[in-house]
Amino acid sequence: MVTSGTVNGHLSSFQECLNNYQSEIGNTSGGWKGLSHDNLVNKGETFASEYGGTIKKQMAAFASAVDAYANFVVAKDNLKNAKSNEQEAIRCNDTSKANMYHKHVETFSSQVDSLRSSIKSYLEEASSPKLSASTISYAASSEIPNGLAESINSAVRSAVSGDANKAALAWAVDIANDDSHGYSQPRRSFVGGTDFDCSSLVIAAYEAAGVPVRSKYGANTTYNMKKAFLASGQFEWIPMSEVRYIYPGDIFLDEDSHTEMYYGKGSNGEYLNVGAHSDYSGSVGDPSGREINIKTSGHHWDGVLHYVGNKNVNSESTGG
């Protein structure tokens, strides 16, 4: 695992190696050393300087993203409570309180949007052509509790990758984290809507990522998702009995009833999916936070629609 301590340790070890090299070669007689020796020393010193500066900037940016995410969680909870209070005041015909709580909703909505933007900015700052932000993200895994590390890791991977599966997953996670979106079959939407059912959420996520599974290939339900996603040329079908590896953004599918998107491993190593599950509230949005969310799934799946647009991503063995 990469941490600030181990990074500094590696830098110190490298610097010590460089110093020893300079000392030993420097004490060697002969003019034959010339430019070859000087070039090696210059390369080593440049590497130590650039690597040290880069890793420190990236870790600072990532730490800021973690702090912003913690504030985002608080603001999102405050927004949820303010919406609930506003609805209760409206139900009780208390106009004064309803107006007050509506102002709270506006304030916390603004905070949530601002923090979401800040997190994205920090994560972009944390990426570098010399050292990827996804490497740094895992440095904090042992220090961030309750699955927050996995949430940040996913966001980092989305920020530094152009792969459609990562972009689709990031879109679906944003919907799950925004309780103004809930589950509904009668109100299910694909583009620009408020509520989703299980299939429209996954289909809309890939549409948002630039894969025209609905607009070009006609996906609109679990019954025809397999055919449409395969027709796009960016997926392959793997029956569950043959699944050996799973990638973030891959799609679990029960053609008769349900679908979810693989999110990643939780803090205890469990597999987590993002999906739309049921209309618990009977209203627009998701006041319970359970209608569209990230959780473990015990559903019986027919197989996995595996994204093959880019195979150069980190896979996770299912243990099969």
Side-chain angles (χ1 to χ4, degrees), residues 22-40:
Q22 289 180 280
S23 176
E24 292 177 9
I25 301 300
N27 290 331
T28 302
S29 61
W32 53 269
K33 294 178 294 185
L35 290 177
S36 296
H37 163 65
D38 292 340
N39 285 342
L40 282 172

Side-chain angles (χ1 to χ4, degrees), residues 81-101:
N81 291 333
K83 287 181 177 180
S84 177
N85 290 336
E86 181 185 14
Q87 291 300 315
E88 178 64 17
I90 292 174
R91 188 184 68 82
C92 296
N93 295 319
D94 191 331
T95 303
S96 177
K97 284 189 176 181
N99 289 336
M100 178 184 69
Y101 288 127

